[in-house]
Amino acid sequence: MSPHAQVPTPAPKPPARLLTQNRELRAIGVWNWTLPAWAGRFPDGKTYNTCPSAGICRYVCYARHGTYTWPTVRAKHHANLRFVLDDLPGWESAMVAELGRRKFLRTWVRIHDSGDFFSDAYLLAWLRIMRARPDTNFYAYTKEVARFRALVEPDPPDNFAWVYSYGGTQDAALDIDRDRVADVFPDEDAIATAGWHSQEASDLLAVLGPRLVGIPANRIPHFLKRLGGRTFRSWQAEVDAERRIRREKRGLRLVHGIARAQSAPPESGQGSSAERHRRAA
């Protein structure tokens, strides 16, 4: 082999365990599956985006702060995602096998304490897993509204519950009078004032409690400053309105530009044939 030849990077070893428990979910007996939050880069330079419909939430995401950023934790989350991306059938089989263990019988699994259902293929794999393990319950928060409308809502597994969360690019597709929805509020008082119902006592209240789910914001000072007393829903609505105004302004500039071009007099020497003949005479 030439000394200058590149040695192929070995494929990452799949994680030995797929489901874990963080401190909050362990307290209520829930297991969780985790991916890296939002967009990032693997050590080999490849990029990913596990939250393609993230909106303002990415600016104050708890999963991009604290222990989630520790090298060992990040490496675990990267390994989970690489397994899915590199061998989706193998990952699906491994998840079905792990869920067959006795300790998962009649328990709850939260899909994603960070990350989301980033592709149709990945979501469909989860739906097959749920149907393969009907004695385990699953739940999730998601901002992938269109994907769920198309692939989940027509025929959801009996053991799957979900809540749509505000703060994403598809907020406008949510129906507060019909959908189970979750919004992040500045604090518990703001949740009560709005007439929503906090899930602070147990994360399972997001899918088992009343339909309008209030989540108190994480007490991270620079996140609270950026939230500025708003909810995710209202903040995203502000951003969407600003973008709409910018698009309208660009459209008006384009229309005005076309109108000016059409009404401008012909350049010197570029008049009509009859006019050129008159000038020549």
Side-chain angles (χ1 to χ4, degrees):
M1 178 183 293
S2 165
H4 301 292
Q6 286 190 330
V7 178
T9 303
K13 186 177 180 181
R17 288 190 308 140
L18 302 179
L19 298 169
T20 57
Q21 289 180 311
N22 61 30
R23 182 176 59 185
E24 176 188 349
L25 297 183
R26 184 181 299 112
I28 58 174
V30 172
W31 295 86
N32 58 289
W33 162 251
T34 308
L35 297 175
W38 193 45
R41 189 181 300 273
F42 291 114
D44 64 4
K46 293 181 179 178
T47 58
Y48 59 81
N49 187 340
T50 63
C51 302
S53 294
I56 56 88
C57 62
R58 66 185 185 272
Y59 300 122
V60 288
C61 178
Y62 70 93
R64 302 178 68 204
H65 177 83
T67 58
Y68 285 83
T69 65
W70 293 359
T72 53
V73 175
R74 183 180 293 273
K76 164 65 175 172
H77 296 173
H78 276 175
N80 285 350
L81 180 57
R82 286 304 295 258
F83 194 6
V84 172
L85 294 176
D86 294 346
D87 183 11
L88 184 61
W91 168 81
E92 182 180 333
S93 296
M95 183 65 76
V96 170
E98 185 164 326
L99 285 165
R101 298 176 64 181
R102 191 176 198 83
K103 66 180 179 179
F104 297 115
L105 195 64
R106 287 182 288 280
T107 60
W108 282 88
V109 172
R110 174 171 170 175
I111 306 173
H112 309 133
D113 66 328
S114 69
D116 206 340
F117 298 93
F118 57 83
S119 72
D120 287 359
Y122 176 57
L123 173 55
L124 290 170
W126 265 116
L127 295 176
R128 291 190 296 270
I129 290 166
M130 295 170 198
R131 290 189 168 97
R133 292 299 179 201
D135 294 324
T136 300
N137 299 301
F138 301 84
Y139 77 105
Y141 296 78
T142 186
K143 291 178 171 63
E144 294 299 324
V145 183
R147 184 165 283 135
F148 266 60
R149 296 270 198 248
L151 301 180
V152 180
E153 290 190 11
D155 183 25
D158 293 336
N159 55 338
F160 182 36
W162 68 92
V163 54
Y164 292 116
S165 54
Y166 279 107
T169 59
Q170 299 185 41
D171 276 12
L174 292 173
D175 182 350
I176 198 170
D177 295 320
R178 179 176 72 90
D179 295 318
R180 174 175 286 274
V181 290
D183 196 2
V184 173
F185 289 77
D187 52 39
E188 290 282 352
D189 288 342
I191 295 173
T193 299
W196 288 43
H197 307 272
S198 176
Q199 52 68 274
E200 182 69 3
S202 170
D203 195 54
L204 284 171
L205 290 174
V207 292
L208 299 180
R211 187 174 50 78
L212 301 181
V213 180
I215 304 171
N218 288 283
R219 312 318 292 172
I220 301 170
H222 64 284
F223 282 2
L224 289 173
K225 183 178 180 180
R226 194 152 196 182
L227 188 60
R230 299 168 291 190
T231 66
F232 274 20
R233 183 188 180 197
S234 61
W235 185 5
Q236 186 66 51
E238 290 175 14
V239 170
D240 291 345
E242 290 168 1
R243 288 174 177 162
R244 191 161 50 248
I245 290 170
R246 287 198 297 269
R247 285 196 301 268
E248 290 170 356
K249 286 181 177 178
R250 284 196 298 268
L252 286 173
R253 285 197 297 268
L254 178 61
V255 169
H256 290 161
I258 293 172
R260 282 196 300 269
Q262 290 175 340
S263 62
E267 295 182 9
S268 177
Q270 300 297 318
S272 68
S273 175
E275 188 178 349
R276 287 198 298 273
H277 283 304
R278 283 196 300 272
R279 286 200 298 264

